[in-house]
Amino acid sequence: MSTLYLFAGAAEPVFDIARVIEEAQADGWDVCLGLTPTAARWLAGSLEGLGVLTGHPVRWDYAFPGEGEVWPEAAAVLVAPATFNTVNQWALGIVDKFVVGVVAEGIGKGVPMVAVPCLSAAQARHPQFERSVETLRRVGVSVLHGEGEVEGGDSALFPWRAALDAVRGVVAVG
């Protein structure tokens, strides 16, 4: 079974994460869940259960020096919902958050990655956001954003199935 790192930011669709983990597991993935610090605060009451569901500790912060790695190596990474802040930090290499540090390093390691932004239309019009999307695409990240893609934080409209299918499209599940 291949390992999928599922990294989620603080946007409303993060509240569906348990269902998404189950869907990914049904697709054949061993899922490790990473959260931004704000998303971890939002899900604080569910973190233990999410760890049980995945079979791995939920992470939202860097380990201390000398601590061993607690997750298996990723075959792929899905960053969803990817907030305005997460996308921009990732593209700019600002790695003060665990999940951003892992995906920034993933570019250099050649790990297949998919990002699904979740932001307001106003944020999407910010000039840095489009530059960040272009930067990520240029280095091989599949970014599901643009005409025909869902924007905003409506959980009911967030394209979780399309996100999981896109991950399947960038790497074969073993």
Side-chain angles (χ1 to χ4, degrees), residues 82-103:
T83 63
F84 177 79
N85 193 44
T86 296
V87 170
N88 288 321
Q89 285 187 323
W90 184 5
L92 293 169
I94 301 169
V95 295
D96 62 333
K97 293 180 185 74
F98 166 73
V99 297
V100 179
V102 173
V103 293

Side-chain angles (χ1 to χ4, degrees), residues 51-65:
V52 170
L53 178 62
T54 65
H56 303 283
V58 178
R59 297 192 57 194
W60 60 90
D61 205 356
Y62 287 105
F64 286 104

Side-chain angles (χ1 to χ4, degrees), residues 7 9 16 20-22 28 39 46 49 52-53 59 67-68 82 85 89 103 117 128 131:
F7 288 163
D16 294 330
V20 176
I21 290 167
E22 290 171 338
S46 304
V52 170
L53 178 62
R59 297 192 57 194
E67 289 183 352
N85 193 44
Q89 285 187 323
V103 293
Q128 182 56 52
R131 285 192 297 269

Side-chain angles (χ1 to χ4, degrees), residues 122-169:
Q123 289 173 326
R125 286 191 297 272
H126 190 284
Q128 182 56 52
F129 179 73
E130 197 55 45
R131 285 192 297 269
S132 292
V133 169
E134 289 172 15
T135 296
L136 293 175
R137 285 179 174 154
R138 191 172 52 252
V139 297
V141 177
S142 177
V143 183
L144 304 185
H145 176 76
E147 192 163 327
E149 299 294 340
V150 176
E151 290 181 354
D154 188 342
S155 289
L157 298 177
F158 195 75
W160 284 114
R161 184 71 255 162
L164 291 171
D165 290 346
V167 172
R168 182 175 291 284

Side-chain angles (χ1 to χ4, degrees), residues 27 31 38 42 60 69 79 82 107 109 115 138-139 146 157 173:
D27 288 348
V31 180
T38 301
W42 288 8
W60 60 90
E69 181 54 59
V79 183
I107 290 170
K109 290 180 174 180
R138 191 172 52 252
V139 297
L157 298 177
V173 178

